[in-house]
Amino acid sequence: MVMDFLAPSEPAVRTATRNPWKILIVDDDPDVHEVTKIAVAGCMFENRAFELLHALSAREAREILEEQQDIAVALVDVVMESDTAGLGLVSWIRSELKNHFTRLILRTGQPGYAPQTDVIMKFDIDGYTEKAELSRTKLITAVVTGLRGYKLVMSLETNRRKLQQLNAHFSAIVEKNALSEFASAVVEHVSELVGQPVDCLLCGLESLPGYGAFDRTNIRVLAATGCFEDKVDLPVDVISDDAVRGCVVKCAETRETCRSSTGVALPLVTRNGMAGALYLDVAEDLLEELVGSELLKLFVSNVALGYEKTGLLEHIRNLAYVDRITGLSTFSGFIETFQRNAAKCTPLLVVHADVQRFRVIVDGIGDEKAGAVLKKTGHRLSQTFPDALTIARKEKDEFLILLKGGDANRVEDVVARVEEAFQEPITLDDNQISLRMRLGFAAGTADNQNAEQLVRFASIALNNVRQQGHTSHSVFHPEMQEAAFERLRLASLLTSSSNQMEFSVHYQPIMLAKDESLASFEALMRFRTPSGTFMNTARMIEAAEASGLITEIGAWMFMTSFSEFSRLQGLSGDVRLNVNLSPQQVQTNRIYKDIEDAASAAGLPLHRLVFEVTEGLFLSNDQVTISLLNWLRDKGAKVVIDDFGTGYSSFSYLRKLPVDGIKIDRSFIMNMDQDADELAVVKSIIAVAKALDLDVTAEGIETITQRKIMQELQCDYLQGYLYSKPQSSDGLSSFIEKSIEPGVAFG
């Protein structure tokens, strides 16, 4: 070897900042190892020093190569243990070890043993030199050339592997249909792609933006790793690092790559406006080295496609399963949750709730603000039932609550929770709106866990509450289904276009108790089939209320009864007409006009009218009802509570209501002459009514004994078969003539 090989120039002093290049020296001459070590001392390539590994034989070289997979260059002596030991080692490296990356440079001190050209080509040998010609400069040149080759093939191999990773990642990412699962998959694969743990953030929208508008307040942390892990599901504004937060927001807004002092934010560019950003807390130059810009762009493009796809699926899912007004589940979402829990054999309780007099709220504040009331109602239900499996808005003002059944949620406890939750009014702008919820319950059993059926049962129970009017909740019983079917049958008769039902009005007299003079007539609806059969009035009224026909039928009743009553001959101006009001009628704005139009058409002043209402009408202290009754009294009409004693039956509220009297239900009258307890109840009712200056009417007077008892108790008015059954207006003439002389006809 020439002497310059032993006299290296003074290299500039540099400090390596990265792992060294591994170079294997394979030679059976120890001097060659030492000379090579001196020659490359202090050399660096791309800021990486040289680390020399030494093998004095092909066998030692094999052991080193098997242990260390990242040897960049191997300087191999051709002749060692044998004349072909070096070539055998090269063949073993390429063929058996399957190492196609380490660059191989052959050296020999015996020119006659130079490898043939076909051997150099077959085993991918990078160079061949004779030791006598190998100066320091040529040695370093050969090594650096080998390092460049190693870097190139390793870069190609890295790209190939990472492309395989990208394909696998893309499949794993795109198959996710939920946004949260997609985001988690992305950040999981980032570290695998980079090849080391990385703190990262995936930020974006949870749904499609309205009209493509960008709103930074809607950007949330969809997934995160490392120091950002506690920010998942929170708005991006909670990121405490100003530089990182600003970088992410700017990236999502501008759709351009943005850099912070420690990392880089890459935009997720989509076609549907789903703004997003992937932030990696890694220096950009290191990221370039570890991954490569093109591969990184490809990865981010794949992520953007997955983000666009899952965002669209999430949007479609939201349309199907999220109610746009309240943010609660839709009915479809409710059914899905029900079925999922039913499959686990979990006992379930379905609660169907609605807002009493919600139509009045809508009329008073408008549809838009009423929607805000529904949203606040849903929010309050969610707060009240954090243990609910799901809460859904079914339609209009109706909500469904799915709870675990059994002892976990007893009906009385659920009712108490709802009543307590809505004691405080809902505030909307400057308005305080008091809500009263009505509840229908249906419990599933091991044999009955059908979603649609249980919802239908809960709805039947809720309709039962609506029909009764004097309770806030009801639990489904099979008899309710039979009653509901009967109401449907009767309602179909009312709505039939083939004239299957004929309406008429019958009248029953109400007498002044003290002298049995005629005081009033009560107008009573009658329903008759074409065959002449009269239907049960109470059940027909229930069917009319259930079908929504009661308002129209009530208007017809006003018009017909007012007209027929005004045409009756022989009545003094003191005789009044009693008409009944349905709770559903009272809740409509048109009732004012219906009454005035009918009275005007009949020429009947309102002071000759008495309106009968049920006790249940006052349960919610409804201002709409109170306003109507005050209006009627201001017009001169009277208001009495019908069937008193069968409903709420609380004397405490009587003094607060705008009423003029009460009618004692016939069930108390019919047995009072034989039952001391019944008589005591009647006496108490009359005593309280008199103390409150209310008139008292006794229904169901059928015997002279009953009449005598009521007269002795100073009851004001008497009504019953003792005087007359209800009859048509045409049959009233004879009764009117008969009742002209007080105390004669019925004594």
Side-chain angles (χ1 to χ4, degrees), residues 52 110 337 467 475 504 561 571 700 733:
L52 300 184
Q110 304 175 37
T337 303
Q467 293 296 322
V475 180
S504 62
S561 62
L571 293 180
S733 298

Side-chain angles (χ1 to χ4, degrees), residues 450-468:
N450 181 278
E452 286 83 356
Q453 188 178 62
L454 276 185
V455 169
R456 181 162 56 85
F457 288 169
S459 298
I460 290 173
L462 178 59
N463 281 329
N464 188 62
V465 176
R466 293 166 177 160
Q467 293 296 322
Q468 292 182 356

Side-chain angles (χ1 to χ4, degrees), residues 34 167 239 523 585 678 716:
E34 189 63 29
N167 287 333
I239 299 174
Q585 278 180 288
E678 295 281 8
D716 299 291

Side-chain angles (χ1 to χ4, degrees), residues 127-147:
Y128 168 75
T129 61
E130 293 181 12
K131 294 178 183 179
E133 300 174 350
L134 195 60
S135 67
R136 176 178 184 273
T137 302
K138 288 183 178 180
L139 174 63
I140 293 174
T141 300
V143 170
V144 169
T145 301
L147 291 176

Side-chain angles (χ1 to χ4, degrees), residues 508-511 517-522 565 575-578 610:
Q508 186 175 32
I510 299 173
M511 315 302 290
S517 61
L518 181 60
S520 181
F521 283 106
E522 181 179 0
F565 178 74
V575 177
R576 295 174 179 259
L577 175 68
N578 286 40
V610 178

Side-chain angles (χ1 to χ4, degrees), residues 309-365:
K309 173 247 186 182
T310 50
L312 181 59
L313 288 176
E314 200 82 13
H315 179 67
I316 294 172
R317 179 179 176 82
N318 285 346
L319 291 177
Y321 294 134
V322 179
D323 178 62
R324 64 180 183 84
I325 292 179
T326 63
L328 299 174
S329 175
T330 60
F331 182 64
S332 298
F334 178 90
I335 296 298
E336 182 186 62
T337 303
F338 184 104
Q339 292 172 340
R340 188 168 62 250
N341 283 276
K344 303 174 185 176
C345 297
T346 303
L348 301 173
L349 177 67
V350 175
V351 186
H352 191 180
D354 77 348
V355 181
Q356 190 170 339
R357 68 181 184 86
F358 185 71
R359 182 69 253 172
V360 177
I361 295 175
V362 175
D363 292 341
I365 63 178

Side-chain angles (χ1 to χ4, degrees), residues 146-427:
L147 291 176
R148 287 197 174 102
Y150 176 77
K151 179 183 176 184
L152 177 60
V153 295
M154 288 306 296
S155 177
L156 292 173
E157 175 62 13
T158 299
N159 286 343
R160 184 185 69 80
R161 290 177 180 174
K162 289 190 180 298
L163 281 172
Q164 287 180 330
Q165 278 186 319
L166 283 180
N167 287 333
H169 293 168
F170 184 66
S171 299
I173 289 171
V174 171
E175 73 178 3
K176 305 299 183 183
N177 294 326
L179 198 56
S180 59
E181 293 179 359
F182 157 79
S184 297
V186 170
V187 297
E188 176 185 336
H189 293 308
V190 165
S191 293
E192 294 181 30
L193 183 68
V194 175
Q196 63 184 47
V198 177
D199 293 348
C200 65
L201 289 161
L202 182 64
C203 302
L205 304 176
E206 293 181 311
S207 61
L208 289 176
Y211 308 102
F214 175 83
D215 184 353
R216 63 170 289 176
T217 60
N218 291 331
I219 297 182
R220 305 181 72 82
V221 178
L222 304 178
T225 60
C227 64
F228 303 117
E229 203 163 2
D230 61 337
K231 302 299 188 292
V232 177
D233 292 332
L234 298 176
V236 72
D237 286 339
V238 304
I239 299 174
S240 56
D241 190 314
D242 294 341
V244 173
R245 182 177 64 254
C247 183
V248 169
V249 172
K250 184 178 179 182
C251 175
E253 185 172 9
T254 63
R255 298 189 177 189
E256 295 180 356
T257 300
C258 296
R259 299 158 186 85
S260 72
S261 58
T262 59
V264 58
L266 305 164
L268 304 182
V269 180
T270 66
R271 296 165 295 179
N272 59 3
M274 292 284 289
L278 176 63
Y279 179 81
L280 307 178
D281 201 33
V282 181
E284 191 171 16
D285 58 344
L286 179 57
L287 200 58
E288 165 69 25
E289 179 184 328
L290 295 173
V291 182
S293 59
E294 296 303 319
L295 279 173
L296 192 59
K297 286 180 182 177
L298 184 58
F299 177 73
V300 173
S301 296
N302 287 344
V303 171
L305 286 173
Y307 181 46
E308 180 178 328
K309 173 247 186 182
T310 50
L312 181 59
L313 288 176
E314 200 82 13
H315 179 67
I316 294 172
R317 179 179 176 82
N318 285 346
L319 291 177
Y321 294 134
V322 179
D323 178 62
R324 64 180 183 84
I325 292 179
T326 63
L328 299 174
S329 175
T330 60
F331 182 64
S332 298
F334 178 90
I335 296 298
E336 182 186 62
T337 303
F338 184 104
Q339 292 172 340
R340 188 168 62 250
N341 283 276
K344 303 174 185 176
C345 297
T346 303
L348 301 173
L349 177 67
V350 175
V351 186
H352 191 180
D354 77 348
V355 181
Q356 190 170 339
R357 68 181 184 86
F358 185 71
R359 182 69 253 172
V360 177
I361 295 175
V362 175
D363 292 341
I365 63 178
D367 288 327
E368 184 176 349
K369 289 187 176 180
V373 171
L374 288 176
K375 185 174 183 178
K376 288 178 177 287
T377 301
H379 179 66
R380 191 165 292 185
L381 287 174
S382 298
Q383 290 180 316
T384 305
F385 295 100
D387 55 328
L389 300 173
T390 186
I391 299 177
R393 177 172 173 252
K394 188 171 184 288
E395 57 183 344
K396 297 180 181 176
D397 62 317
E398 297 181 8
F399 298 86
L400 289 170
I401 307 169
L402 184 62
L403 300 168
K404 289 184 179 179
D407 293 335
N409 288 289
R410 297 182 302 172
V411 168
E412 55 268 29
D413 294 335
V414 174
V415 173
R417 288 165 72 179
V418 172
E419 290 180 348
E420 182 179 359
F422 287 92
Q423 282 183 356
E424 181 180 347
I426 283 178
T427 302

Side-chain angles (χ1 to χ4, degrees), residues 507-512 516-522 568-571 575 718-741 745-746:
Y507 303 86
Q508 186 175 32
I510 299 173
M511 315 302 290
L512 193 63
E516 295 185 292
S517 61
L518 181 60
S520 181
F521 283 106
E522 181 179 0
L568 291 176
Q569 301 295 317
L571 293 180
V575 177
L718 306 177
Q719 178 180 0
Y721 284 6
L722 176 64
Y723 301 103
S724 173
K725 294 182 179 181
Q727 53 186 307
S728 67
S729 60
D730 294 337
L732 291 179
S733 298
S734 60
F735 178 83
I736 294 172
E737 292 177 3
K738 183 179 178 181
S739 63
I740 290 177
E741 298 183 31
F746 314 105

